[in-house]
Amino acid sequence: LQSNGCGPGFAEESTNSEEQAMIKIAGNSYLTSPSLPDFCGCSPGWSSAFYGAECFDSEVHSYLKNLGKQKSSESQNIDAKKVELEQLLMIETKNYRKTIKFYQKLLQKERRSKGPETKSMLPKLRGQLQEMKSKVQFLELVKKYQMMYAEQWGVESYVLPTVIHSGKADTRDMAPEDESSLLLYYNTEKHQCNNQNGGRVLQAGTPLGLMAYLYSRNAFLEGYVQQFLYTFRYFCTQEEFLKFLLDRISSTLSSASLDPSTSLTKICNRSFYILQAWIEDCYSVDFATNTDLLGTLKEFISSKVASLNGYGERLLSLLEDASARKSGSADLSSGVDKCEEESEEGRKTLHSLCKKLSEDVSRKNFYWKLSKGVGPVAQHQRERLHSGSAVLPRPCCSSFTAESSVSLARADEVGPVLLIECSAQQLCWQLTLLQQEVFNKCHPVHFLNSRALGVKDKCAAVPKAVSSETVSLKVCNLFLSKCIQDQYLLQLLKNADSISTWVAAEIVTCHTTKRQVSLLSKFLLIAKCCYEQRNFATAMQILAGLENLIVRQLPAWKILPAKVAEIMEELKAVEVFLKSDSLCLMEGDRFKTLPTIPSAHVLAMHVQQLETGGFTMTNGAHKWTKLRNIAKVVSQVHAFQENPYTYAPDFKLQSYLRQRVTHFKDADISALAADNCANFHQIPAEKHSRKIQDTLRRMKATFQ
């Protein structure tokens, strides 16, 4: 990992002004006692796991360092930093929203009147919007950097053995462990950052050592904490991890003094931050599915922490909020902190406007395949991106139009007529919203250890004859045997399989070849529209339905228009592109501005490929480099969930689509096709009669 400007001076920027007990130590770092207002939003997020130490560059660090400086003395004022940053972000965001609305009005005016003055203003306004957008995103990144208060309580590497022993009841007869017996590093010359490890990068570690490294200085900033939260189930259970944290809190809570520079105080406070980050990011996959784990945590907080430390009430509040959100909402990308709800809603509103701008700007020249990020791209990456995507077609995005409200009867009475009457874009939008609803409920952890759930390569993703409750976890289980695994991935793949079956069933149940041609064309156009809008999940589901063996043999393919038939090859090219690289959708900055839904099955296969091979070295240490790569790949799930589609929902059309999918989800395509004569090649009557006569003549000759 290469880090830019993320040295120990970070602690200087993340201190809290409400606690006046500041102690200056070596390296111009400041440590403060914890306070309740700062104990919020400490989850590093997907970007930390994906970018690692490069998530925050030196520009972010320098900008935050200069915030809140008093002109007279140039001294640091932490409270001024917070106030100034919030004000700047609020002002820039408000101006950005106003400018986008003005841009949209001009765009509508230009479409109606096409005046020369409006045309000349639009390009200038677009340039201003791009600058304002970049500034808002930069300020949001600075705010996220500032909120990582947990780095105040990081310890040096030589203190890590103390972290381990601090949770043990009796350490008198135990020999002190050396760091080298817990963690293995490798040296690199690429490190320019003056961090605790210098040029050392973590390579492997024992389960105890990897848990202890969470307390290491800059573990939050370098992405280790988020990567650990995604992957720790490969080497320890949820109960073991919780016990490790609670033991450290128990042994240090009473002895933690007001002096924030002591190791015990740091270990105690860091434990609370790690625990909070775990709750914020993984409540749905670890605590919501394990009532015993949740009960143990609540009991510990209520009995031992709440009466001694303000963290206790805060953690209980976080658990209640997370539970309410889990039961009442499927939005996993938002935090569990009440204090962030209003700003989160504002961010989503801003993002929806930002997305519309991106679509307007990129409508005429838009290649989603090629990386056009702001930052530099290595030459070999450029060559790979251009060569890997050259076979893909150029999307042609039409402008948004008002969707007509459709009066629907029962889906089984209407049949496929509505599919033909509605435009491909209308159906694409509503199928995308339905797919987004399912995708937003998944978590990066759901894509780990999928072999144990029976997920296999193409045509065997979800065993239909075996329910998710009866899937054997004994074969190919990479998690520890006592580790509880949420099986939502099976539900996600079953939904994908239902869409594919529905597509095939709608086609084979058409009673005329002409109707089949119309429906084939419609599904191909829907799939094309979906992948152009980066909804690769639905596009690949439609492709799977069209590649059904029965569907591929239909006579309708021979009379399909050539231009429409070419879309089938385009979809296959997209499928090859998605399978070529596990991070192909994360290249450049497109995924940050344009919504994306990946193919769940393709992503699961990429993770399985990374899981191939041993997880441990000859000395028993777990390969952290392997786990880090897995965390980076699955982190894109949260990245895509942060960027939602904002199409206007047509609930009647969605209800119709749901009913049709449900109606055909378990259908036998071969049986449906057998009842329809349009699915067979028709032989002319005279030719058919002549064949029968020739057959009878040959049979008669054999008896003579």
Side-chain angles (χ1 to χ4, degrees), residues 372-443:
K372 292 189 178 180
V374 178
V377 181
Q379 183 64 29
H380 70 278
Q381 288 180 328
R382 286 199 189 96
E383 292 174 356
R384 178 171 60 81
L385 286 171
H386 284 267
S387 62
S389 57
V391 295
L392 297 179
R394 178 190 180 100
C396 178
C397 302
S398 57
S399 59
F400 286 102
T401 56
E403 294 186 23
S404 59
S405 177
V406 185
S407 177
L408 301 179
R410 288 179 56 87
D412 53 352
E413 296 175 358
V414 176
V417 176
L418 196 61
L419 291 176
I420 298 176
E421 292 179 352
C422 291
S423 68
Q425 190 180 63
Q426 279 181 308
L427 293 167
C428 166
W429 289 350
Q430 301 313 312
L431 286 171
T432 297
L433 292 178
L434 292 175
Q435 185 64 42
Q436 180 174 258
E437 181 181 336
V438 179
F439 175 68
N440 281 347
K441 296 178 183 179
C442 72
H443 189 278

Side-chain angles (χ1 to χ4, degrees), residues 16 39 167 209 292 314 352 395 402 466 485 503 509 578 679 688 699 701:
N16 173 24
F39 193 63
D292 293 337
R314 184 59 183 164
S352 65
V466 183
Q485 182 174 7
V503 170
T509 52
L578 295 176
N679 297 321
H688 183 62
M699 291 181 64

Side-chain angles (χ1 to χ4, degrees), residues 93-103 129 353:
T93 302
K94 191 175 295 184
N95 291 338
Y96 185 42
R97 286 175 178 169
K98 290 181 180 178
T99 309
I100 286 182
K101 291 180 181 178
F102 179 62
Y103 171 81
L129 280 171
L353 295 173

Side-chain angles (χ1 to χ4, degrees), residues 197-403:
N197 292 325
R200 297 191 306 169
V201 177
L202 183 63
Q203 181 181 14
T206 63
L208 204 56
L210 293 175
M211 285 189 283
Y213 195 76
L214 291 167
Y215 294 77
S216 177
R217 193 173 185 181
N218 289 333
F220 273 86
L221 276 177
E222 293 175 354
Y224 178 82
V225 173
Q226 188 65 44
Q227 293 161 357
F228 179 94
L229 293 177
Y230 285 158
T231 59
F232 73 85
R233 298 154 197 84
Y234 288 108
F235 54 85
C236 74
T237 65
Q238 293 96 331
E239 287 78 8
E240 291 171 346
F241 181 38
L242 180 62
K243 185 177 185 303
F244 179 87
L245 295 177
L246 299 187
D247 286 347
R248 270 78 212 152
I249 295 175
S250 298
S251 61
T252 58
L253 188 60
S254 59
S255 57
S257 64
L258 295 177
D259 183 0
S261 63
T262 62
S263 297
L264 292 180
T265 303
K266 293 180 183 179
I267 293 172
C268 180
N269 291 329
R270 184 67 160 229
S271 299
F272 282 116
Y273 277 106
I274 296 170
L275 184 58
Q276 185 198 352
W278 186 16
I279 295 172
E280 285 181 353
D281 198 79
C282 300
Y283 178 87
S284 61
V285 293
D286 288 328
F287 296 96
T289 58
N290 191 340
T291 56
D292 293 337
L293 187 74
L294 182 60
T296 301
L297 177 58
K298 286 185 175 180
E299 174 63 24
F300 176 85
I301 295 174
S302 301
S303 61
K304 296 187 177 181
V305 180
S307 59
L308 299 177
N309 194 299
Y311 286 138
E313 295 181 1
R314 184 59 183 164
L315 287 174
L316 289 175
S317 177
L318 286 174
L319 290 172
E320 292 177 1
D321 294 344
S323 177
R325 289 174 184 263
K326 173 66 178 177
S327 58
S329 174
D331 185 9
L332 302 182
S333 60
S334 60
V336 296
D337 196 352
K338 283 184 177 179
C339 70
E340 296 179 353
E341 287 182 358
E342 294 184 0
S343 61
E344 182 71 14
E345 289 300 320
R347 186 191 67 79
K348 289 181 178 179
T349 305
L350 172 64
H351 171 73
S352 65
L353 295 173
C354 170
K355 188 190 77 65
K356 291 178 182 179
L357 168 68
S358 299
E359 288 170 343
D360 288 333
V361 172
S362 61
R363 188 163 289 129
K364 293 183 179 179
N365 50 355
F366 172 53
Y367 283 94
W368 60 263
K369 292 83 59 180
L370 304 182
S371 173
K372 292 189 178 180
V374 178
V377 181
Q379 183 64 29
H380 70 278
Q381 288 180 328
R382 286 199 189 96
E383 292 174 356
R384 178 171 60 81
L385 286 171
H386 284 267
S387 62
S389 57
V391 295
L392 297 179
R394 178 190 180 100
C396 178
C397 302
S398 57
S399 59
F400 286 102
T401 56
E403 294 186 23

Side-chain angles (χ1 to χ4, degrees), residues 495-613:
N495 175 78
D497 189 58
S498 298
I499 298 292
S500 300
T501 305
W502 163 66
V503 170
E506 291 283 16
I507 295 171
V508 300
T509 52
C510 288
H511 294 290
T512 64
T513 303
K514 183 178 179 181
R515 182 63 62 85
Q516 282 187 344
V517 171
S518 298
L519 211 52
L520 277 173
S521 301
K522 182 58 61 71
F523 277 123
L524 285 169
L525 291 172
I526 293 172
K528 180 181 176 67
C529 185
C530 283
Y531 88 73
E532 288 176 353
Q533 302 299 323
R534 294 179 65 90
N535 175 10
F536 300 103
T538 304
M540 294 300 100
Q541 291 160 11
I542 294 176
L543 176 62
L546 296 177
E547 286 189 322
N548 181 282
L549 184 61
I550 304 297
V551 176
R552 288 300 292 164
Q553 295 177 350
L554 295 178
W557 287 98
K558 292 186 177 182
I559 58 176
L560 199 66
K563 289 185 178 180
V564 178
E566 289 176 358
I567 300 177
M568 193 68 178
E569 300 306 316
E570 296 176 8
L571 292 173
K572 292 180 180 179
V574 173
E575 184 180 32
V576 172
F577 176 76
L578 295 176
K579 292 180 177 180
S580 64
D581 185 2
S582 59
L583 297 175
C584 61
L585 299 180
M586 298 289 284
E587 298 287 356
D589 288 336
R590 286 290 181 188
F591 73 93
K592 296 180 182 178
T593 57
L594 298 175
T596 305
I597 302 179
S599 169
H601 184 261
V602 172
L603 181 56
M605 291 301 101
H606 281 306
V607 176
Q608 284 191 11
Q609 185 66 29
L610 292 174
E611 290 175 334
T612 303

